[in-house]
Amino acid sequence: MNRGKYIVLTNNPLVFDKLEKTHEVIYLETTYEGLLREVRDRIHDGHLLLTHPLSGSVKPNETPYKSVLISAGKEEVDRRSLTIIENAINSKIRLDDMEKAYWKIFS
């Protein structure tokens, strides 16, 4: 499975500004969840997930920004990549739901 170089997908304008001249970067004006969904769509197109979408010490509900690396090349859909991104999307949705329930109870 040789998919070659990588693409950085990000909704973080600072990441885009820092990397755009030296890396292939796709900047999307979207939410954290929107970025995860875009990554999922690209995995369906045959890209391979190269970094875990929930990596880092900041929880998805604590920041609006995310950057994910995918392969530049495409092959068959990688089931492992698809499972990881789907689980990440579901985790983000669950965290959002828990936060809404918390604010409903304590506000």
Side-chain angles (χ1 to χ4, degrees), residues 1-2 11-12 15 18-19 27-28 30 44 49 51 54-55 64-66 71 77 83-84 86-88 98 101 103 107:
M1 187 179 298
N2 181 13
N11 67 346
N12 187 332
V15 169
K18 187 74 172 172
L19 298 179
Y27 174 72
L28 303 163
T30 188
H44 277 289
L49 186 64
T51 59
L54 297 180
S55 64
Y65 299 118
K66 188 65 193 169
S71 64
V77 174
T83 298
I84 291 169
E86 288 288 351
N87 287 340
M98 287 178 3
W103 286 111
S107 60

PDB file of all heavy atoms in Angstrom, residues 1-2 11-12 15 18-19 27-28 30 44 49 51 54-55 64-66 71 77 83-84 86-88 98 101 103 107:
ATOM      1  N   MET A   1       0.857  -1.179   0.000  1.00  0.00           N
ATOM      2  CA  MET A   1       0.000   0.000   0.000  1.00  0.00           C
ATOM      3  C   MET A   1       0.901   1.240   0.000  1.00  0.00           C
ATOM      4  O   MET A   1       1.300   1.730   1.028  1.00  0.00           O
ATOM      5  CB  MET A   1      -0.907  -0.031   1.237  1.00  0.00           C
ATOM      6  CG  MET A   1      -1.947   1.047   1.234  1.00  0.00           C
ATOM      7  SD  MET A   1      -3.038   1.002   2.671  1.00  0.00           S
ATOM      8  CE  MET A   1      -3.812  -0.572   2.497  1.00  0.00           C
ATOM      9  N   ASN A   2       1.222   1.720  -1.171  1.00  0.00           N
ATOM     10  CA  ASN A   2       2.099   2.881  -1.288  1.00  0.00           C
ATOM     11  C   ASN A   2       1.294   4.067  -1.790  1.00  0.00           C
ATOM     12  O   ASN A   2       1.068   4.195  -2.979  1.00  0.00           O
ATOM     13  CB  ASN A   2       3.264   2.570  -2.219  1.00  0.00           C
ATOM     14  CG  ASN A   2       4.218   3.730  -2.358  1.00  0.00           C
ATOM     15  OD1 ASN A   2       4.158   4.685  -1.595  1.00  0.00           O
ATOM     16  ND2 ASN A   2       5.103   3.641  -3.320  1.00  0.00           N
ATOM     17  N   ASN A  11      -8.858  23.178   9.598  1.00  0.00           N
ATOM     18  CA  ASN A  11      -9.750  24.333   9.707  1.00  0.00           C
ATOM     19  C   ASN A  11      -9.086  25.419  10.560  1.00  0.00           C
ATOM     20  O   ASN A  11      -9.736  26.368  10.980  1.00  0.00           O
ATOM     21  CB  ASN A  11     -11.117  23.937  10.284  1.00  0.00           C
ATOM     22  CG  ASN A  11     -11.051  23.482  11.727  1.00  0.00           C
ATOM     23  OD1 ASN A  11      -9.985  23.197  12.258  1.00  0.00           O
ATOM     24  ND2 ASN A  11     -12.198  23.388  12.358  1.00  0.00           N
ATOM     25  N   ASN A  12      -7.789  25.254  10.787  1.00  0.00           N
ATOM     26  CA  ASN A  12      -7.027  26.186  11.607  1.00  0.00           C
ATOM     27  C   ASN A  12      -6.251  27.146  10.699  1.00  0.00           C
ATOM     28  O   ASN A  12      -5.313  26.727  10.026  1.00  0.00           O
ATOM     29  CB  ASN A  12      -6.066  25.407  12.508  1.00  0.00           C
ATOM     30  CG  ASN A  12      -5.354  26.283  13.503  1.00  0.00           C
ATOM     31  OD1 ASN A  12      -5.144  27.465  13.263  1.00  0.00           O
ATOM     32  ND2 ASN A  12      -4.968  25.692  14.618  1.00  0.00           N
ATOM     33  N   VAL A  15      -2.374  27.099  11.132  1.00  0.00           N
ATOM     34  CA  VAL A  15      -1.705  25.947  10.512  1.00  0.00           C
ATOM     35  C   VAL A  15      -1.563  26.187   9.016  1.00  0.00           C
ATOM     36  O   VAL A  15      -0.503  25.966   8.435  1.00  0.00           O
ATOM     37  CB  VAL A  15      -2.480  24.638  10.795  1.00  0.00           C
ATOM     38  CG1 VAL A  15      -1.955  23.491   9.942  1.00  0.00           C
ATOM     39  CG2 VAL A  15      -2.409  24.289  12.272  1.00  0.00           C
ATOM     40  N   LYS A  18       1.150  28.760   8.276  1.00  0.00           N
ATOM     41  CA  LYS A  18       2.497  28.261   8.569  1.00  0.00           C
ATOM     42  C   LYS A  18       2.979  27.225   7.545  1.00  0.00           C
ATOM     43  O   LYS A  18       4.159  27.188   7.215  1.00  0.00           O
ATOM     44  CB  LYS A  18       2.502  27.649   9.981  1.00  0.00           C
ATOM     45  CG  LYS A  18       3.841  27.247  10.478  1.00  0.00           C
ATOM     46  CD  LYS A  18       4.655  28.441  10.861  1.00  0.00           C
ATOM     47  CE  LYS A  18       5.930  28.006  11.549  1.00  0.00           C
ATOM     48  NZ  LYS A  18       6.846  29.091  11.777  1.00  0.00           N
ATOM     49  N   LEU A  19       2.062  26.400   7.026  1.00  0.00           N
ATOM     50  CA  LEU A  19       2.462  25.270   6.201  1.00  0.00           C
ATOM     51  C   LEU A  19       2.204  25.409   4.706  1.00  0.00           C
ATOM     52  O   LEU A  19       2.728  24.620   3.918  1.00  0.00           O
ATOM     53  CB  LEU A  19       1.761  23.997   6.691  1.00  0.00           C
ATOM     54  CG  LEU A  19       2.065  23.543   8.110  1.00  0.00           C
ATOM     55  CD1 LEU A  19       1.278  22.283   8.431  1.00  0.00           C
ATOM     56  CD2 LEU A  19       3.552  23.322   8.311  1.00  0.00           C
ATOM     57  N   TYR A  27      -7.269  24.096   3.332  1.00  0.00           N
ATOM     58  CA  TYR A  27      -7.904  24.844   4.426  1.00  0.00           C
ATOM     59  C   TYR A  27      -9.402  24.873   4.178  1.00  0.00           C
ATOM     60  O   TYR A  27      -9.866  25.216   3.089  1.00  0.00           O
ATOM     61  CB  TYR A  27      -7.353  26.268   4.498  1.00  0.00           C
ATOM     62  CG  TYR A  27      -8.072  27.113   5.518  1.00  0.00           C
ATOM     63  CD1 TYR A  27      -7.882  26.898   6.872  1.00  0.00           C
ATOM     64  CD2 TYR A  27      -8.965  28.100   5.116  1.00  0.00           C
ATOM     65  CE1 TYR A  27      -8.546  27.661   7.817  1.00  0.00           C
ATOM     66  CE2 TYR A  27      -9.635  28.863   6.050  1.00  0.00           C
ATOM     67  CZ  TYR A  27      -9.429  28.636   7.397  1.00  0.00           C
ATOM     68  OH  TYR A  27     -10.101  29.384   8.321  1.00  0.00           O
ATOM     69  N   LEU A  28     -10.165  24.524   5.206  1.00  0.00           N
ATOM     70  CA  LEU A  28     -11.621  24.505   5.125  1.00  0.00           C
ATOM     71  C   LEU A  28     -12.197  25.382   6.227  1.00  0.00           C
ATOM     72  O   LEU A  28     -11.838  25.217   7.394  1.00  0.00           O
ATOM     73  CB  LEU A  28     -12.145  23.075   5.294  1.00  0.00           C
ATOM     74  CG  LEU A  28     -11.606  22.049   4.307  1.00  0.00           C
ATOM     75  CD1 LEU A  28     -11.848  20.644   4.812  1.00  0.00           C
ATOM     76  CD2 LEU A  28     -12.261  22.253   2.956  1.00  0.00           C
ATOM     77  N   THR A  30     -14.741  25.507   8.347  1.00  0.00           N
ATOM     78  CA  THR A  30     -15.774  24.604   8.828  1.00  0.00           C
ATOM     79  C   THR A  30     -15.558  24.337  10.307  1.00  0.00           C
ATOM     80  O   THR A  30     -14.565  24.760  10.898  1.00  0.00           O
ATOM     81  CB  THR A  30     -15.763  23.284   8.016  1.00  0.00           C
ATOM     82  OG1 THR A  30     -16.903  22.493   8.376  1.00  0.00           O
ATOM     83  CG2 THR A  30     -14.504  22.481   8.256  1.00  0.00           C
ATOM     84  N   HIS A  44     -13.434   7.732   1.932  1.00  0.00           N
ATOM     85  CA  HIS A  44     -14.326   7.018   1.007  1.00  0.00           C
ATOM     86  C   HIS A  44     -13.808   7.099  -0.428  1.00  0.00           C
ATOM     87  O   HIS A  44     -14.040   6.191  -1.224  1.00  0.00           O
ATOM     88  CB  HIS A  44     -15.748   7.584   1.073  1.00  0.00           C
ATOM     89  CG  HIS A  44     -16.564   7.028   2.185  1.00  0.00           C
ATOM     90  ND1 HIS A  44     -17.037   5.737   2.217  1.00  0.00           N
ATOM     91  CD2 HIS A  44     -17.011   7.605   3.337  1.00  0.00           C
ATOM     92  CE1 HIS A  44     -17.726   5.524   3.316  1.00  0.00           C
ATOM     93  NE2 HIS A  44     -17.727   6.646   4.022  1.00  0.00           N
ATOM     94  N   LEU A  49      -5.959   7.415   6.150  1.00  0.00           N
ATOM     95  CA  LEU A  49      -5.800   8.265   7.331  1.00  0.00           C
ATOM     96  C   LEU A  49      -4.396   8.058   7.899  1.00  0.00           C
ATOM     97  O   LEU A  49      -4.008   6.922   8.185  1.00  0.00           O
ATOM     98  CB  LEU A  49      -6.857   7.883   8.368  1.00  0.00           C
ATOM     99  CG  LEU A  49      -6.963   8.726   9.618  1.00  0.00           C
ATOM    100  CD1 LEU A  49      -7.376  10.157   9.274  1.00  0.00           C
ATOM    101  CD2 LEU A  49      -7.976   8.101  10.572  1.00  0.00           C
ATOM    102  N   THR A  51      -2.945  10.331  10.456  1.00  0.00           N
ATOM    103  CA  THR A  51      -2.886  10.744  11.866  1.00  0.00           C
ATOM    104  C   THR A  51      -4.248  10.494  12.496  1.00  0.00           C
ATOM    105  O   THR A  51      -5.279  10.582  11.834  1.00  0.00           O
ATOM    106  CB  THR A  51      -2.526  12.233  12.022  1.00  0.00           C
ATOM    107  OG1 THR A  51      -3.497  13.035  11.342  1.00  0.00           O
ATOM    108  CG2 THR A  51      -1.139  12.521  11.484  1.00  0.00           C
ATOM    109  N   LEU A  54      -8.370  12.172  16.730  1.00  0.00           N
ATOM    110  CA  LEU A  54      -8.579  12.636  18.108  1.00  0.00           C
ATOM    111  C   LEU A  54      -7.260  12.757  18.862  1.00  0.00           C
ATOM    112  O   LEU A  54      -7.240  12.761  20.083  1.00  0.00           O
ATOM    113  CB  LEU A  54      -9.532  11.695  18.857  1.00  0.00           C
ATOM    114  CG  LEU A  54     -10.951  11.625  18.291  1.00  0.00           C
ATOM    115  CD1 LEU A  54     -11.794  10.656  19.106  1.00  0.00           C
ATOM    116  CD2 LEU A  54     -11.600  12.989  18.230  1.00  0.00           C
ATOM    117  N   SER A  55      -6.158  12.874  18.146  1.00  0.00           N
ATOM    118  CA  SER A  55      -4.857  13.010  18.804  1.00  0.00           C
ATOM    119  C   SER A  55      -4.751  14.368  19.486  1.00  0.00           C
ATOM    120  O   SER A  55      -5.448  15.311  19.132  1.00  0.00           O
ATOM    121  CB  SER A  55      -3.730  12.873  17.775  1.00  0.00           C
ATOM    122  OG  SER A  55      -3.806  13.929  16.842  1.00  0.00           O
ATOM    123  N   PRO A  64     -12.145  24.674  18.566  1.00  0.00           N
ATOM    124  CA  PRO A  64     -12.849  24.591  17.282  1.00  0.00           C
ATOM    125  C   PRO A  64     -11.947  24.090  16.153  1.00  0.00           C
ATOM    126  O   PRO A  64     -12.407  23.896  15.035  1.00  0.00           O
ATOM    127  CB  PRO A  64     -13.266  26.039  17.023  1.00  0.00           C
ATOM    128  CG  PRO A  64     -12.197  26.847  17.686  1.00  0.00           C
ATOM    129  CD  PRO A  64     -11.782  26.051  18.902  1.00  0.00           C
ATOM    130  N   TYR A  65     -10.650  23.867  16.428  1.00  0.00           N
ATOM    131  CA  TYR A  65      -9.681  23.589  15.369  1.00  0.00           C
ATOM    132  C   TYR A  65      -9.187  22.149  15.371  1.00  0.00           C
ATOM    133  O   TYR A  65      -9.032  21.530  16.425  1.00  0.00           O
ATOM    134  CB  TYR A  65      -8.472  24.509  15.500  1.00  0.00           C
ATOM    135  CG  TYR A  65      -8.835  25.958  15.377  1.00  0.00           C
ATOM    136  CD1 TYR A  65      -8.631  26.836  16.435  1.00  0.00           C
ATOM    137  CD2 TYR A  65      -9.414  26.454  14.214  1.00  0.00           C
ATOM    138  CE1 TYR A  65      -8.977  28.175  16.326  1.00  0.00           C
ATOM    139  CE2 TYR A  65      -9.765  27.788  14.096  1.00  0.00           C
ATOM    140  CZ  TYR A  65      -9.544  28.641  15.156  1.00  0.00           C
ATOM    141  OH  TYR A  65      -9.891  29.958  15.048  1.00  0.00           O
ATOM    142  N   LYS A  66      -8.883  21.670  14.162  1.00  0.00           N
ATOM    143  CA  LYS A  66      -8.305  20.340  14.005  1.00  0.00           C
ATOM    144  C   LYS A  66      -7.543  20.286  12.694  1.00  0.00           C
ATOM    145  O   LYS A  66      -7.931  20.917  11.714  1.00  0.00           O
ATOM    146  CB  LYS A  66      -9.401  19.268  14.005  1.00  0.00           C
ATOM    147  CG  LYS A  66      -8.868  17.864  14.046  1.00  0.00           C
ATOM    148  CD  LYS A  66      -8.160  17.616  15.357  1.00  0.00           C
ATOM    149  CE  LYS A  66      -7.329  16.352  15.349  1.00  0.00           C
ATOM    150  NZ  LYS A  66      -6.466  16.273  16.520  1.00  0.00           N
ATOM    151  N   SER A  71      -3.272  10.481   3.133  1.00  0.00           N
ATOM    152  CA  SER A  71      -2.379  10.203   2.014  1.00  0.00           C
ATOM    153  C   SER A  71      -2.778  11.053   0.814  1.00  0.00           C
ATOM    154  O   SER A  71      -3.951  11.371   0.621  1.00  0.00           O
ATOM    155  CB  SER A  71      -2.447   8.724   1.631  1.00  0.00           C
ATOM    156  OG  SER A  71      -3.744   8.393   1.164  1.00  0.00           O
ATOM    157  N   VAL A  77     -10.699   1.686  -0.549  1.00  0.00           N
ATOM    158  CA  VAL A  77     -11.070   2.237   0.756  1.00  0.00           C
ATOM    159  C   VAL A  77     -10.426   1.396   1.851  1.00  0.00           C
ATOM    160  O   VAL A  77     -10.535   0.168   1.857  1.00  0.00           O
ATOM    161  CB  VAL A  77     -12.603   2.259   0.929  1.00  0.00           C
ATOM    162  CG1 VAL A  77     -12.982   2.697   2.337  1.00  0.00           C
ATOM    163  CG2 VAL A  77     -13.248   3.172  -0.094  1.00  0.00           C
ATOM    164  N   THR A  83     -13.110   3.156   9.926  1.00  0.00           N
ATOM    165  CA  THR A  83     -13.588   2.879  11.293  1.00  0.00           C
ATOM    166  C   THR A  83     -13.102   3.947  12.264  1.00  0.00           C
ATOM    167  O   THR A  83     -13.869   4.449  13.095  1.00  0.00           O
ATOM    168  CB  THR A  83     -13.113   1.487  11.753  1.00  0.00           C
ATOM    169  OG1 THR A  83     -13.664   0.501  10.882  1.00  0.00           O
ATOM    170  CG2 THR A  83     -13.540   1.199  13.183  1.00  0.00           C
ATOM    171  N   ILE A  84     -11.835   4.327  12.157  1.00  0.00           N
ATOM    172  CA  ILE A  84     -11.268   5.337  13.058  1.00  0.00           C
ATOM    173  C   ILE A  84     -11.981   6.676  12.892  1.00  0.00           C
ATOM    174  O   ILE A  84     -12.366   7.311  13.886  1.00  0.00           O
ATOM    175  CB  ILE A  84      -9.754   5.486  12.827  1.00  0.00           C
ATOM    176  CG1 ILE A  84      -9.022   4.232  13.308  1.00  0.00           C
ATOM    177  CG2 ILE A  84      -9.211   6.724  13.539  1.00  0.00           C
ATOM    178  CD1 ILE A  84      -7.569   4.163  12.892  1.00  0.00           C
ATOM    179  N   GLU A  86     -14.982   7.319  11.597  1.00  0.00           N
ATOM    180  CA  GLU A  86     -16.385   7.217  12.024  1.00  0.00           C
ATOM    181  C   GLU A  86     -16.489   7.256  13.549  1.00  0.00           C
ATOM    182  O   GLU A  86     -17.364   7.924  14.103  1.00  0.00           O
ATOM    183  CB  GLU A  86     -17.029   5.939  11.480  1.00  0.00           C
ATOM    184  CG  GLU A  86     -17.292   5.958  10.001  1.00  0.00           C
ATOM    185  CD  GLU A  86     -18.432   6.877   9.587  1.00  0.00           C
ATOM    186  OE1 GLU A  86     -19.163   7.409  10.462  1.00  0.00           O
ATOM    187  OE2 GLU A  86     -18.601   7.073   8.373  1.00  0.00           O
ATOM    188  N   ASN A  87     -15.589   6.555  14.234  1.00  0.00           N
ATOM    189  CA  ASN A  87     -15.586   6.585  15.698  1.00  0.00           C
ATOM    190  C   ASN A  87     -15.270   7.982  16.221  1.00  0.00           C
ATOM    191  O   ASN A  87     -15.832   8.417  17.233  1.00  0.00           O
ATOM    192  CB  ASN A  87     -14.594   5.567  16.256  1.00  0.00           C
ATOM    193  CG  ASN A  87     -15.076   4.139  16.098  1.00  0.00           C
ATOM    194  OD1 ASN A  87     -16.258   3.888  15.917  1.00  0.00           O
ATOM    195  ND2 ASN A  87     -14.149   3.202  16.137  1.00  0.00           N
ATOM    196  N   ALA A  88     -14.383   8.688  15.552  1.00  0.00           N
ATOM    197  CA  ALA A  88     -14.048  10.059  15.956  1.00  0.00           C
ATOM    198  C   ALA A  88     -15.251  10.986  15.799  1.00  0.00           C
ATOM    199  O   ALA A  88     -15.527  11.818  16.673  1.00  0.00           O
ATOM    200  CB  ALA A  88     -12.869  10.587  15.142  1.00  0.00           C
ATOM    201  N   MET A  98     -23.280  15.638  25.511  1.00  0.00           N
ATOM    202  CA  MET A  98     -23.058  15.685  26.958  1.00  0.00           C
ATOM    203  C   MET A  98     -22.926  17.123  27.433  1.00  0.00           C
ATOM    204  O   MET A  98     -23.444  17.484  28.494  1.00  0.00           O
ATOM    205  CB  MET A  98     -21.803  14.884  27.332  1.00  0.00           C
ATOM    206  CG  MET A  98     -22.011  13.392  27.232  1.00  0.00           C
ATOM    207  SD  MET A  98     -20.594  12.302  27.593  1.00  0.00           S
ATOM    208  CE  MET A  98     -19.282  13.315  28.070  1.00  0.00           C
ATOM    209  N   ALA A 101     -26.372  18.687  27.548  1.00  0.00           N
ATOM    210  CA  ALA A 101     -27.121  18.196  28.697  1.00  0.00           C
ATOM    211  C   ALA A 101     -26.629  18.834  29.986  1.00  0.00           C
ATOM    212  O   ALA A 101     -27.427  19.202  30.862  1.00  0.00           O
ATOM    213  CB  ALA A 101     -26.994  16.673  28.776  1.00  0.00           C
ATOM    214  N   TRP A 103     -25.243  21.840  30.355  1.00  0.00           N
ATOM    215  CA  TRP A 103     -25.687  23.234  30.421  1.00  0.00           C
ATOM    216  C   TRP A 103     -27.181  23.323  30.656  1.00  0.00           C
ATOM    217  O   TRP A 103     -27.654  24.263  31.298  1.00  0.00           O
ATOM    218  CB  TRP A 103     -25.270  23.995  29.167  1.00  0.00           C
ATOM    219  CG  TRP A 103     -23.802  24.285  29.178  1.00  0.00           C
ATOM    220  CD1 TRP A 103     -22.861  23.742  28.374  1.00  0.00           C
ATOM    221  CD2 TRP A 103     -23.119  25.147  30.091  1.00  0.00           C
ATOM    222  NE1 TRP A 103     -21.617  24.206  28.716  1.00  0.00           N
ATOM    223  CE2 TRP A 103     -21.738  25.093  29.766  1.00  0.00           C
ATOM    224  CE3 TRP A 103     -23.503  25.976  31.140  1.00  0.00           C
ATOM    225  CZ2 TRP A 103     -20.775  25.809  30.449  1.00  0.00           C
ATOM    226  CZ3 TRP A 103     -22.531  26.693  31.817  1.00  0.00           C
ATOM    227  CH2 TRP A 103     -21.199  26.606  31.473  1.00  0.00           C
ATOM    228  N   SER A 107     -27.985  25.372  34.073  1.00  0.00           N
ATOM    229  CA  SER A 107     -28.229  26.777  33.746  1.00  0.00           C
ATOM    230  C   SER A 107     -29.625  27.217  34.110  1.00  0.00           C
ATOM    231  O   SER A 107     -30.412  26.556  34.628  1.00  0.00           O
ATOM    232  CB  SER A 107     -27.976  27.027  32.265  1.00  0.00           C
ATOM    233  OG  SER A 107     -28.824  26.240  31.478  1.00  0.00           O
TER     234      SER A 107
END
